[in-house]
Amino acid sequence: MQVGRALLFSLVLGPRCQACDQSADFQIADRFSAAAGLSVPDKLHSGEACGVYMLQKSLNVDKEVTPDEPCTSPSCKDFHNAIFSMACGYSKADIAPFVETLRQTGYKGALVIGINPDVDDHTRNFLLKHNATMKTEPCQEQERMSLMTYDDHPEQVDNTQLRTRQYMGNLNQRRWRHYLEWLNESNYSKVWLVDSRDVIFQAHPFQYLHADLGFFAQYTRPEEWFYEKVEYCGPGQKKADDMRHSNMLNICGGTIGGDARRIAELCEVMVSEIKDLHYDLPDVHSCGQNDQWLLNYHLLKNDMTQPGHYKEGDLFNFFGGSALNFFDEEVRNNWWRHTNDNGTLVNREGDPIAILHGWQDADNFSIVLHGVHYVGQKERKEPGQFGSLGVMLYILLFLLILGLVGTAIYCFR
């Protein structure tokens, strides 16, 4: 009904529409295609462009853009973009902050999320309400792989069979293959790969994403277990020593964003790196539990150790770029120093930091987004302030000192 009405508008009102420039035509057609699930020629004449626009209006698709207006706003470009995440084993309570704050930024593009096939109706309906595309394959695979242990199936633990079964162990490694498949299913322009349960959005995720491929620091140094994985899971001791002495940042695998083409290239590299790992250790899950050490090893191979622009992408330190990870003590203790007068967390350029990852663990984290108050698990004290526990400790210390002084006076009288 709506399609027929729009085509009628095209025939009747088409001659009255101003001709669109080619870029606007293409953008409107592309957005129409994404919204309505139909294909539209890349180049339209004015009547067709008007018909597309009227169909947009009938579908309630971003009424701000007109046929003769270039697509410049972040929400206008959203139908080219995507957010990828995994939520295996999660319920609505786990992912509601992630999904709700994302949509509240005005983002209207794709949200593709891995979810269990038997997820409860409450969670499924919540995701449908927020126009999420649910993918069950990663979580089904995770359930199958979790049942495959060395003790249960020792005959299957050899390199060839493990590689044939793709990746064993944790979803953190296997998600790269699924992300690559999702990228190949649609013609996206920009993509974020983000965690879900501990992420909220305080700004449009693509508005301030200027890097072709952006990586964001999680800690100031790699963790000690990184070196062990590099040494025993494939690259070897020399490479582990190179990482140990590199003074490199520890880059997070749960906040990566950029052009879809560059994201796909990264996924291909990670898939190839993971296939070459040694899965024939006595502890069959040892090399398959995490991907962050391998991501950082890949960056080290490309000499990407400190913040800056590189051929393979951009590295951002804390409070740089459009994502912030709260795991390092420096960030957890000092995040509040980077808020503006409106209480918005901003980066060094003064732009809102769109993605906040691990916010629950930040000291006294408190932010109001669209009327909802998000509060961290700890309390930060302003300089000169003490909590109730601090006051009690100071009173006890004062009484102890007073008692000691009294005892000393009594003894020396």
Side-chain angles (χ1 to χ4, degrees):
M1 183 75 176
Q2 290 175 328
V3 175
R5 184 173 59 187
L7 295 177
L8 179 61
F9 284 145
S10 173
L11 295 174
V12 176
L13 300 178
R16 303 180 188 177
C17 291
Q18 295 180 350
C20 309
D21 61 34
Q22 184 174 354
S23 63
D25 282 349
F26 175 80
Q27 289 155 352
I28 291 171
D30 198 35
R31 293 173 59 235
F32 160 78
S33 177
L38 303 174
S39 61
V40 176
D42 289 352
K43 190 171 183 180
L44 307 171
H45 62 68
S46 60
E48 288 170 329
C50 184
V52 168
Y53 175 60
M54 298 308 293
L55 179 57
Q56 273 186 252
K57 294 187 70 173
S58 68
L59 293 174
N60 271 332
V61 179
D62 197 356
K63 298 181 182 180
E64 297 178 358
V65 181
T66 59
D68 56 351
E69 179 182 355
C71 179
T72 57
S73 69
S75 60
C76 170
K77 299 178 180 179
D78 280 346
F79 290 116
H80 301 274
N81 301 329
I83 304 286
F84 290 173
S85 190
M86 295 290 177
C88 299
Y90 295 170
S91 66
K92 176 187 174 182
D94 297 315
I95 59 176
F98 169 80
V99 175
E100 290 174 343
T101 56
L102 172 63
R103 291 308 189 192
Q104 287 164 353
T105 65
Y107 174 70
K108 299 179 181 179
L111 169 58
V112 187
I113 191 165
I115 201 78
N116 294 81
D118 58 350
V119 68
D120 62 272
D121 291 340
H122 195 46
T123 302
R124 184 183 301 277
N125 292 336
F126 169 77
L127 289 170
L128 289 173
K129 174 185 175 182
H130 291 279
N131 299 320
T133 299
M134 288 172 276
K135 299 284 190 176
T136 60
E137 296 86 352
C139 304
Q140 285 179 307
E141 186 180 63
Q142 174 74 355
E143 292 174 353
R144 291 196 304 269
M145 299 304 290
S146 66
L147 299 176
M148 305 283 294
T149 66
Y150 181 81
D151 294 334
D152 294 337
H153 303 277
E155 74 283 354
Q156 296 189 19
V157 182
D158 71 81
N159 244 7
T160 303
Q161 290 178 351
L162 287 172
R163 290 182 185 180
T164 302
R165 291 192 284 115
Q166 292 295 328
Y167 321 126
M168 47 101 31
N170 199 282
L171 180 63
N172 282 346
Q173 288 189 4
R174 290 179 287 103
R175 62 183 174 177
W176 294 97
R177 176 168 55 84
H178 293 289
Y179 287 157
L180 184 59
E181 291 173 357
W182 298 354
L183 283 163
N184 291 332
E185 290 174 358
S186 298
N187 186 25
Y188 295 117
S189 175
K190 291 183 178 293
V191 174
W192 273 103
L193 311 179
V194 292
D195 290 347
S196 59
R197 184 168 53 179
D198 54 356
V199 167
I200 57 175
F201 298 82
Q202 66 164 3
H204 192 287
F206 294 97
Q207 185 170 0
Y208 303 102
L209 178 60
H210 305 306
D212 290 343
L213 184 60
F215 301 94
F216 301 85
Q218 179 165 333
Y219 294 104
T220 55
R221 293 281 302 152
E223 298 175 78
E224 282 294 323
W225 60 269
F226 280 24
Y227 312 135
E228 179 183 338
K229 299 297 184 186
V230 172
E231 179 174 355
Y232 293 107
C233 295
Q237 181 177 348
K238 184 181 184 304
K239 301 301 183 182
D241 290 340
D242 290 344
M243 177 178 281
R244 183 177 285 107
H245 301 301
S246 66
N247 195 33
M248 70 181 297
L249 288 171
N250 183 342
I251 297 301
C252 182
T255 48
I256 300 174
D259 293 346
R261 177 181 59 83
R262 299 298 304 277
I263 294 287
E265 291 171 355
L266 175 64
C267 290
E268 290 172 349
V269 168
M270 290 297 292
V271 167
S272 177
E273 295 274 11
I274 292 168
K275 284 183 176 180
D276 288 335
L277 295 181
H278 293 169
Y279 287 127
D280 53 354
L281 299 177
D283 178 4
V284 71
H285 290 284
S286 178
C287 294
Q289 289 182 338
N290 193 282
D291 64 338
Q292 190 153 318
W293 66 272
L294 192 58
L295 172 65
N296 279 267
Y297 172 68
H298 164 69
L299 298 176
L300 177 64
K301 288 198 303 183
N302 289 279
D303 296 320
M304 299 172 66
T305 59
Q306 292 297 312
H309 175 72
Y310 301 85
K311 178 182 178 181
E312 299 298 324
D314 290 358
L315 256 60
F316 295 95
N317 208 339
F318 309 126
F319 306 103
S322 51
L324 178 64
N325 300 298
F326 280 84
F327 302 93
D328 193 87
E329 185 175 357
E330 175 187 340
V331 179
R332 293 202 309 266
N333 294 341
N334 297 298
W335 66 270
W336 53 277
R337 299 180 186 273
H338 296 264
T339 56
N340 61 18
D341 293 339
N342 298 322
T344 302
L345 260 169
V346 295
N347 59 26
R348 293 186 181 89
E349 289 71 40
D351 295 329
I353 300 174
I355 298 175
L356 308 181
H357 179 210
W359 57 275
Q360 302 99 319
D361 294 329
D363 292 349
N364 200 35
F365 181 85
S366 176
I367 192 171
V368 177
L369 299 174
H370 303 279
V372 179
H373 194 189
Y374 296 91
V375 182
Q377 297 175 351
K378 302 178 182 179
E379 286 192 27
R380 169 182 58 81
K381 304 305 173 190
E382 298 284 359
Q385 278 190 308
F386 306 104
S388 57
L389 180 59
V391 172
M392 290 177 62
L393 289 175
Y394 270 83
I395 291 174
L396 290 173
L397 180 61
F398 174 78
L399 292 175
L400 178 61
I401 294 173
L402 188 63
L404 291 174
V405 171
T407 302
I409 293 173
Y410 177 83
C411 291
F412 289 99
R413 275 195 315 178

